[in-house]
Amino acid sequence: MTWETVIGLEVHVQINTQSKIFSGASTAFGAAPNAHASVVECALPGVLPVMNREVINKAIKLGLALGATINRKNVFDRKNYFYPDLPKGYQISQLDLPIIEHGKLEIVVGEALKTINVTRAHMEEDAGKSVHDAFPEFTGIDLNRAGTPLLEVVSEPEMRSAAEAVAYARALHTLVTWLNICDGNMAEGSFRIDANVSVRPLGQAEFGTRCEIKNLNSFRFLEQAINYEVARQIELIEDGGKVVQQTRLFDPDSGETRAMRSKEDAHDYRYFPDPDLLPVIISDAQMAAAQANMPELPGEMAARFVADFGVSDYDARLLTASRVQAAYFETAAQASQQGKLVANWMNGELAAALNKAGLDLAQSPIDAARLAGLVAKIADGTLSNKLARQVFEAMWESDLNAEAIIERDGLKQMTDSGAIEAIIDEVLANNAKSVEEFKAGKEKAFNALVGQVMKASRGKANPQQVQELLQAKLA
């Protein structure tokens, strides 16, 4: 039987406000346990939550970017459950009236474009953290994370492979960091993914029984977890068993998912409106301010890069993967007027050097202005690609620009036809056998002669001129 995979994602986006959603406690990461736990997070008697306005402003920006409906009136609900890291016994969230509904996010898988519908995004507070390895006989409770503002972004179950799920998660990650509503640090838990996975016979309309894989904090783990879970469910059904709806965890060491608990539905949480919080009413002025502060979005900028700088759609998508990347490209492309060359060097030599050094673009030893200078020297014929790579390596190790390195190391490309012809004559005289082989129809002999000329010129001769002059000599 042929099976179809059905995937929906719930992504917890941590809003990068300085204080928590319902208190003035700090959201800074890395503090000593419970250093940032206020009386609100500790649920001391008589304390009341106070809404953080900036959380609403940042949620509105995401709604605008997703082309979604922004509910001008939305309410908070209590989601009731017991867990040691939730002192109140309930989490403040949104159920029936979330702030965002009915958005769309475009993803790219290979060369294919697909639009994933976003069901909703709702504001909520994070829970605390149980620490199991700090004491030999006890579990510790750290409430630093409790009350941290989250937007839970829920997709429709429209992804049909792990690759599509990863593409969606990456696109959402790019968007929330681009909008500066989340720092996107997955290692610190700022962007966490729950994957709802089920399988069904191909062509069947009814969904299969889903399992939810919780708290995936890397794109690689997301892909591995989905692929394992799909294979597990198919094997289970084909062996005569049934998939049970449950929450599962992914073990990166074994590459397997394992059962955590049976999956609760909404009615199990006994939701009801929080009586301590008034409905959130978004004013016209608040909407207008959010719209005025919206940046150019990644898709819009990618289309502009194609139109203004002549880069390919593929390169434009790579260049708009982050605002740092996009700003670097635009600065270098405008300075050099060589958009395609800048894109090639950013996605090629520069990306490889950064990867090897374990650096991101913001830490690059070569800034956009210096890369523009290098690219300009390639465009005007001063440097061949081979010489440009030598200059790039020297730039990586120094603060000098391309022009200074070319002068210092004598790396200017040889373009004088007379000088190149003299080298060609000498090479032809010393490689009579290769000349004979070429005239006998062996094309490889020509490439060998070109190589000898480039070697004799120490890589400085213009390769195109070498080939044209050599062809003329051998005609």
Side-chain angles (χ1 to χ4, degrees):
M1 183 179 290
T2 302
W3 297 90
E4 181 179 50
T5 302
V6 178
I7 303 164
L9 298 186
E10 300 171 10
V11 182
H12 292 83
V13 176
Q14 181 174 312
I15 304 302
N16 57 352
T17 53
Q18 294 183 6
S19 57
K20 296 183 179 180
I21 188 169
F22 299 122
S23 82
S26 171
T27 58
F29 182 82
N34 298 303
H36 295 160
S38 75
V39 293
V40 174
E41 288 81 55
C42 293
L44 297 186
V47 299
L48 292 172
V50 178
M51 182 65 207
N52 184 336
R53 179 184 293 271
E54 190 60 18
V55 176
I56 300 170
N57 292 335
K58 295 204 170 193
I60 292 170
K61 288 177 71 174
L62 180 61
L64 292 172
L66 293 172
T69 299
I70 298 171
N71 289 321
R72 303 289 289 270
K73 177 183 178 181
N74 52 97
V75 300
F76 283 103
D77 300 281
R78 290 186 180 182
K79 179 181 180 181
N80 297 273
Y81 65 95
F82 171 77
Y83 207 70
D85 60 17
L86 193 69
K88 296 193 298 286
Y90 61 86
Q91 177 191 29
I92 301 176
S93 184
Q94 294 187 306
L95 181 64
D96 292 328
L97 280 175
I99 190 167
I100 297 169
E101 292 183 289
H102 312 308
K104 295 180 184 296
L105 185 62
E106 189 175 80
I107 66 172
V108 181
V109 184
E111 293 299 313
L113 293 174
K114 182 174 181 177
T115 298
I116 304 297
N117 287 291
V118 176
T119 312
R120 56 187 279 141
H122 58 265
M123 299 179 289
E124 65 182 20
E125 61 178 344
D126 207 348
K129 180 181 179 182
S130 296
V131 181
H132 303 292
D133 54 2
F135 309 101
E137 299 178 6
F138 304 101
T139 292
I141 301 298
D142 181 5
L143 295 177
N144 281 344
R145 200 174 68 188
T148 298
L150 302 177
L151 267 176
E152 182 173 341
V153 184
V154 183
S155 79
E156 289 291 317
E158 295 175 342
M159 288 154 269
R160 296 294 177 260
S161 68
E164 287 190 3
V166 170
Y168 171 88
R170 284 188 181 277
L172 184 59
H173 186 271
T174 294
L175 186 59
V176 297
T177 53
W178 189 281
L179 294 169
N180 190 29
I181 65 175
C182 175
D183 65 22
N185 191 321
M186 299 181 79
E188 294 180 0
S190 298
F191 189 91
R192 309 192 302 270
I193 307 165
D194 299 341
N196 290 285
V197 181
S198 65
V199 297
R200 63 185 177 187
L202 186 64
Q204 176 179 298
E206 183 183 352
F207 289 134
T209 301
R210 64 187 169 92
C211 290
E212 183 181 29
I213 311 167
K214 296 286 287 185
N215 290 330
L216 297 161
N217 66 349
S218 87
F219 300 122
R220 181 164 58 91
F221 292 165
L222 173 64
E223 183 171 27
Q224 291 174 348
I226 290 172
N227 284 334
Y228 175 83
E229 183 61 20
V230 168
R232 183 190 75 85
Q233 291 186 20
I234 291 173
E235 182 179 5
L236 180 63
I237 297 169
E238 290 183 343
D239 286 347
K242 288 186 176 181
V243 176
V244 177
Q245 184 175 339
Q246 59 188 192
T247 299
R248 300 179 69 86
L249 293 177
F250 176 69
D251 183 347
D253 295 328
S254 67
E256 299 176 348
T257 65
R258 54 183 173 82
M260 178 182 172
R261 61 177 183 265
S262 61
K263 175 63 179 171
E264 300 92 344
D265 286 315
H267 64 267
D268 295 312
Y269 292 116
R270 306 185 318 281
Y271 279 95
F272 63 85
D274 193 303
D276 292 333
L277 287 162
L278 292 170
V280 175
I281 307 297
I282 299 173
S283 67
D284 291 343
Q286 200 169 2
M287 284 292 294
Q291 288 170 331
N293 290 323
M294 285 293 288
E296 184 179 23
L297 297 176
E300 298 166 348
M301 188 174 286
R304 182 167 61 80
F305 284 176
V306 172
D308 292 355
F309 299 113
V311 300
S312 68
D313 288 334
Y314 176 79
D315 280 342
R317 290 197 298 270
L318 291 180
L319 294 167
T320 52
S322 73
R323 293 186 77 170
V324 171
Q325 185 113 333
Y328 188 107
F329 168 76
E330 189 157 22
T331 299
Q334 287 177 343
S336 65
Q337 292 299 302
Q338 298 293 329
K340 288 183 179 180
L341 267 178
V342 170
N344 290 342
W345 276 81
M346 282 185 64
N347 295 333
E349 296 290 333
L350 182 60
L354 290 170
N355 186 55
K356 184 178 179 181
L359 301 174
D360 59 36
L361 186 59
Q363 302 166 308
S364 174
I366 301 176
D367 63 20
R370 287 208 297 153
L371 185 70
L374 173 63
V375 165
K377 293 300 180 185
I378 301 169
D380 69 12
T382 302
L383 293 173
S384 65
N385 284 330
K386 183 177 180 181
L387 291 174
R389 282 190 285 272
Q390 290 180 242
V391 174
F392 178 86
E393 290 170 5
M395 289 171 64
W396 187 269
E397 300 296 336
S398 74
D399 293 329
L400 297 176
N401 61 27
E403 188 170 359
I405 292 169
I406 292 167
E407 290 299 322
R408 184 193 70 182
D409 299 341
L411 295 175
K412 187 174 182 179
Q413 183 171 235
M414 183 188 298
T415 56
D416 181 81
S417 297
I420 296 174
E421 280 195 66
I423 295 173
I424 290 174
D425 289 339
E426 185 177 346
V427 168
L428 293 178
N430 294 331
N431 292 272
K433 184 178 179 183
S434 292
V435 174
E436 289 176 12
E437 289 177 349
F438 173 74
K439 290 184 175 179
K442 292 186 177 180
E443 191 62 35
K444 287 185 179 179
F446 181 80
N447 294 333
L449 289 169
V450 170
Q452 289 297 319
V453 174
M454 295 304 296
K455 182 179 179 181
S457 71
R458 292 182 297 165
K460 294 182 181 180
N462 183 301
Q464 187 175 346
Q465 282 182 273
V466 169
Q467 293 194 40
E468 291 172 356
L469 293 170
L470 189 56
Q471 286 277 14
K473 291 277 186 182
L474 294 172

